[in-house]
Structures are given as C-alpha cells and as structure tokens.
C-alpha cells in the first residue's frame, strides 16, 4: 500500500488539517486585535507578551509551517486538477445556481490572501517581532503596538488594502470552513447545510472582527478607553505614550 | 395538438481521438415538441444520411434514464438544464422556437473524445473493476428479518445506488474529479452489512484506481451534485473520505 499522502484524499487531508489550523489561528488573532479596540495599554501588553520569548517564537514557527503546507499543497493540487480537467474547454458554460463562486476560485482568493500576507508581515510582524529579534531601532518600539496601529492604519491606501484582503478572506473561509470538514469526512446529509451555515457565520464574525479594527483605527476612534493614543497620529504618538499609561 | 419548433444546432464534430474538432451548424425545421432530445438528433441524422453526409455520433442505449449511456453537454449543462433528468429523458418542449442549442461532448482528460459527441468512459468501468462489488458468498436470500437494516441506511444506500455511471459528475467538475461517482459506488455498499466486510479494501482499491487514471482532487465545489441526473449527494463524498482515511489509518 502506497503512502496515504500520495493519494488524492491524503493530499486533501493536508489541505484540510492545515486549513483547520489556520482557521483556529485566525480566531485567536482576531481576539488579540479586538483588545486594541478598547485599550492601547492592554494591547501593548499583549504585544509585549507575544514578543521574543520561546513560546511566541515556537508558535510563529508552527504557524509558518501551517501556511507553508497549505500554500504548497494548494499549488500541487491545482496543477494536478488542471491536468485532470484537460485542455479542452466547453464553448458554453452555465454555472449551476447552487455552486458557490468562492469554491471555484479558491486559488485566486488564496493568492490575494498571500499578497496581503506579504504586506502584513512586512509591516506588522517585522515591526513587532522581527525588529525585537534583531534589536532594530524604529520609530515605535515592538511593544508600542497600539501607536503603530494608529499611525499605520490612518494611511488610507493601507486601510483600503486591508479591507480588500479581509473581503478575499471572507470568501475563502465561507467555502473553506465547511470544505475542510467535508474533506476529513465529518459530514453527512444533515450536517451539510449546518456546516455551510456555520461557515458563513465563522467567516462573517472573523472578518468583521478584523474589519472593525482596521476601520476604527482608520477613522481614529479607537482605542475607546484610553483614546489619547489614537488621536495622535505619527507626530505626537510618542509624547502621548508617555502621557497616558500606554507604556 | 402537435406543436412544432424550428431550431439551430451547433454540434461538435470530430473525426477521431487525435483529430481537431470544430462546431458545425445545422438548421432543423418543424421539430415536434413531443420528441425527445435524442429523437431530434435521430431526425438530424436521417437528414444527414439522406444528403450522403456522415451522421453525428452520440451514445445512447436504454433511452429511459437507467443505463447511463447517454451523455452530451447541452447549452452548458451535462444532460441539459433540467435537474434530475438524463439527456434521453429530455424533451424538445423544453426548448423555444428559434433557439440555438449548443451540443458538446464531455470534456475532461479522463474521458477522451472517440468521435463527435461520443467519449471513452471506460475509466469508470476500470474503477468499478478495482473494487466496486462484493465477492462474499452470501448464499440464497435469507429472511429479511434475519438482517435488520435501519430504514435511513437503506434509503441512503438506495439513493447512492441510483448512480448510473454516466460521467456527468467528472464532466461538470472544474477539477476533473470522479469523486461523486466513486463515492456513490463505495457508499451503496458501505452502508449495508453485506458490503462492510470488504469496505476498507474497496475504498482503498477504488481510490487508488481513480488516482492512477488521473482524475482530479475534489475541492467540494458541488457542481457534480447539481448536474447529476440522479441527484446523488456530495454527502457520499464525505463518507468516501471517511471510509478511505479510516482504512488507511488502520494499515
Ligand atoms: C489565513 C489564511 C488561510 C486560511 C484560514 C485558509 C483556509 C482554508 C480552508 C479551511 C480550506 C479548506 C480545506 C479543505 O477543503 O479541505 C482551504 C482550501 C484552500 N486554500 Fe486556503 N486558507 C488560507 C490561505 C490560503 C493561501 C495563502 C492559499 C494559496 C495561495 C490558499 C489556497 C487554498 C486552496 C487552493 C484551497 C483548496 C480549495 C478547497 O479544497 O476547498 N489558502 N483554505
Ligand atoms: S454520480 Fe451522478 S453524474 Fe456521476 S456517474 Fe453517477 S449518475 Fe452520473
Ligand atoms: S440512454 Fe440510458 S440513461 Fe439515457
């Protein structure tokens, strides 16, 4: 018997398990972001907590592997599927009504997510974790996460790019969530519709959670509790941080 | 009263597997709306033969929706637009006067064109031969009460067994995946005690054959279920995944 991971279902299992992992990670990530809605000091405490200690680094490494597997197998599967489909295309195509648009465009949506991820790593992860690792000097220290959020998200192109990213994520998750459960075989006639509904709920909650933070900082209304930090754009942020308890 | 319509057909013509194909346009006058779709094609072929032209090759057999021989991608849908209907059960009353109907063969690497609208679907037969049966000797039929089967299981097994092996699922799939067919064939047996005996071996053998023949990896788009003339559910695909993963983990 050949290895399970050489089979089509085995490869899909890798997609599914890495997908489940990413789905859980997103939920966690969203919860952390929401802290910034209320309090800059609390958010900065989270930034400090998830700085350069072994558990945060280990978590990041595992996460990177999760992404890597998901993305590599996304391309492997897509290449195989295009080959299985063949080069002859139908002259007339009429998509059946109940086929989700997202389900047929998962790679494109994934690619948008990947580009967004590049942007995100360069601007947040680099700033909050990598800078601390190499002890680089920046405008804001790695634990001044809230100030960085205020400064960075008040730039319109950045905020818009994040919203586009989140919309692509919604579509990817609205299909991916139930697809991953179908792939591991945890589905039947009754649960099919339930999981599909749960997928929309999950995608909506997570994406709203992310979008609220982006919009709230773009319009400079966050953090709600110690707002002195967010009023300040780039120039006075450091001063502000001294003034309130953001340190 | 017999209503008639005039239609334009755009039919895929291809001399052989290696030949380049093209669309040919035919005008048909006074087609009775009581005709079946295949009778309409018969009419076309009679006219072509009368003109000493090559008739259009297409697959058909029972013409009552049970054998799975008929195929055809009609106006962008395998077996035409109507749900739960095979091409042979499709009637001309479903088309409008003056309509242009585009007829294509299944287009998937797993089903190469043999000629015109006929494709080679023997790949599905090979998957069946790999394990889509029971080989246990069960003797004469026993008393029904001796082997009670829950009604929901019996129903689901029957629904899976309604698959006629037509290939519309793979033809409709953007991934060229045969999972709906394979999952129906695995499920119809996996749900019943007689089929459980060889369930693990069957799932592994049929999936291995499916992969070997180059069918794609299912990404759960659901186009197969929407186009399947028998309404086979993708819940069967979840069962196949389950059966296969369980069998592999046990090894
Ligand atoms: C936070 C990021 C991401 C999350 C949470 C996520 C989640 C998921 C989930 C849950 C699935 C369903 C797995 C299955 O059907 O078994 C999936 C499938 C898929 N993902 Fe992602 N993904 C992410 C990023 C990406 C990226 C960056 C790419 C590609 C560049 C990608 C490409 C795909 C493809 C092609 C599929 C297969 C479609 C399918 O099986 O339904 N994803 N993703
Ligand atoms: S599952 Fe449906 S579409 Fe696929 S071969 Fe069987 S009857 Fe045809
Ligand atoms: S000819 Fe038998 S199913 Fe259509």
């Amino acid at each position: 018997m050949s290895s399970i991971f050489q089979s089509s279902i085995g490869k899909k299992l890798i997609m599914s398990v890495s997908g489940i992992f990413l789905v859980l990670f997103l939920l966690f990530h969203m919860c952390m972001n929401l802290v910034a809605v209320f309090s800059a000091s609390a958010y900065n405490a989270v930034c400090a907590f998830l700085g350069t200690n072994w558990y945060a680094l280990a978590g990041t490494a595992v996460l990177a592997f999760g992404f890597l597997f998901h993305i590599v197998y996304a391309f492997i599967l897509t290449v195989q599927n295009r080959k299985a489909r063949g080069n002859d295309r139908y002259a007339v195509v009429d998509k059946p009504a109940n086929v989700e648009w997202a389900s047929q465009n998962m790679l494109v949506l994934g690619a948008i997510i990947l580009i967004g991820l590049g942007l995100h790593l360069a601007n947040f992860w680099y700033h909050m974790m990598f800078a601390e690792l190499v002890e680089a000097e920046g405008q804001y220290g790695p634990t001044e996460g809230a100030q960085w959020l205020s400064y960075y998200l008040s730039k319109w192109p950045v905020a818009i790019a994040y919203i586009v990213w989140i919309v692509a994520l919604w579509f990817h998750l609205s299909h991916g969530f139930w697809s991953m459960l179908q792939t591991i075989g945890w589905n039947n006639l009754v649960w099919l519709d339930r999981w599909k509904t749960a997928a929309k709920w999950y995608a909506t909650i997570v994406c709203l959670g992310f979008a609220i933070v982006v919009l709230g900082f773009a319009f400079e209304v966050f953090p709600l509790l110690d707002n002195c930090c967010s009023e300040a754009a780039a120039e006075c942020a450091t001063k502000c941080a001294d003034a309130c308890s953001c340190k | 009263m017999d209503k008639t319509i005039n239609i334009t057909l755009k039919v895929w013509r291809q001399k052989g597997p290696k030949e380049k194909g093209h669309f040919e346009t035919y005008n048909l006058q006074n087609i009775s709306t009581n005709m079946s779709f295949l009778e309409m094609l018969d009419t076309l072929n009679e006219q072509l033969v009368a003109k000493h032209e090559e008739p259009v090759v297409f697959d058909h057999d029972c013409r009552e929706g049970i054998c799975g021989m008929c195929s055809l991608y009609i106006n962008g849908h395998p077996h035409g637009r109507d749900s739960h209907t095979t091409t042979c059960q499709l009637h001309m009353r479903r088309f409008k006067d003056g309509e242009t109907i585009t007829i294509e063969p299944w287009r998937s690497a797993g089903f190469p064109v043999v000629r015109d609208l006929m494709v080679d679907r023997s790949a599905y037969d090979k998957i069946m031969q790999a394990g889509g049966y029971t080989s246990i000797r069960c003797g004469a039929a026993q008393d029904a009460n001796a082997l009670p089967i829950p009604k929901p299981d019996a129903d689901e097994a029957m629904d899976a067994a309604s698959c006629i092996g037509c290939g519309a699922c793979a033809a409709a799939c953007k991934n060229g995946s045969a999972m709906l067919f394979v999952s129906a064939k695995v499920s119809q047996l996996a749900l019943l005690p007689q089929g459980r005996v060889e369930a693990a071996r069957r799932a592994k053998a049929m999936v291995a054959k499916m992969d070997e023949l180059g069918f794609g990896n299912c990404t759960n788009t659901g186009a197969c279920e929407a186009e399947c003339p028998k309404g086979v559910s993708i819940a069967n695909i979840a069962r196949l995944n389950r059966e296969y993963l369980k069998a592999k983990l046990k090894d």
Side-chain angles (χ1 to χ4, degrees), chain B residues 59 61 111-112 133 137 146 169 175 180 187 205 220 223 238:
Chain B
D59 268 326
D61 191 11
F111 298 143
Y133 50 82
R137 293 167 193 276
C169 39
N175 303 319
L180 191 64
S187 289
N220 307 315

Side-chain angles (χ1 to χ4, degrees), chain B residues 134-167:
Chain B
T134 56
S135 57
I136 48 167
R137 293 167 193 276
C138 42
Q142 40 181 321
D143 186 86
N145 290 329
L147 200 59
I149 295 164
K151 179 76 168 114
D153 288 359
D155 285 350
E156 251 192 278
M158 276 305 279
D159 287 347
S162 68
C163 165
I164 53 177
C166 64

Side-chain angles (χ1 to χ4, degrees), chain A residues 188-189 192, chain B residues 159 180 183-184 225 228 230-238:
Chain A
N188 57 35
L189 282 172
L192 207 58
Chain B
D159 287 347
L180 191 64
S183 72
E225 176 186 88
C228 170
K230 296 296 157 185
V232 171
S233 166
I234 56 170
N236 290 303
I237 296 182

Side-chain angles (χ1 to χ4, degrees), chain A residues 1-4 6-13 76-78 80-86 88-100 103-106 175 178-189 192 196, chain B residues 23 73 75-77 81 102 104-110 156 171-176 179 204-205 207 210-211 214-223 225-227 233-235 237-242 244-245 248-249 251:
Chain A
M1 272 291 161
S2 56
S3 154
I4 183 168
Q6 275 158 14
S7 70
S8 55
I9 296 180
K11 278 179 243 157
K12 283 281 332 209
L13 182 69
I76 293 177
L77 289 174
T78 305
Q80 285 189 345
N81 288 350
R82 291 193 71 93
K83 200 161 145 245
R85 182 70 193 74
D88 298 324
R89 292 279 169 273
Y90 291 109
V92 181
V93 267
D94 186 10
K95 188 169 70 74
N98 43 356
V99 172
E100 305 158 11
S103 73
Q104 303 205 305
N105 294 282
M106 288 295 272
H175 173 72
W178 76 264
S179 178
M180 71 192 184
L181 297 162
Q182 169 88 355
T183 300
I184 54 168
W186 198 9
N187 214 343
N188 57 35
L189 282 172
L192 207 58
K196 282 187 186 178
Chain B
F23 280 105
Y73 226 77
N75 284 346
H77 291 279
R81 235 191 127 178
T102 307
E104 302 173 69
W106 287 173
R107 297 187 195 277
S108 209
E156 251 192 278
C173 179
K174 81 183 263 280
N175 303 319
M179 284 288 274
K204 284 185 290 188
V207 169
M210 172 186 86
D211 291 348
F215 285 103
N217 310 288
C218 173
T219 65
N220 307 315
T221 68
E225 176 186 88
E227 300 289 15
S233 166
I234 56 170
I237 296 182
R239 181 176 301 102
L240 172 60
N241 290 337
R242 200 154 65 227
Y244 180 81
L245 292 172
K248 276 293 198 184
L249 286 180
D251 284 350

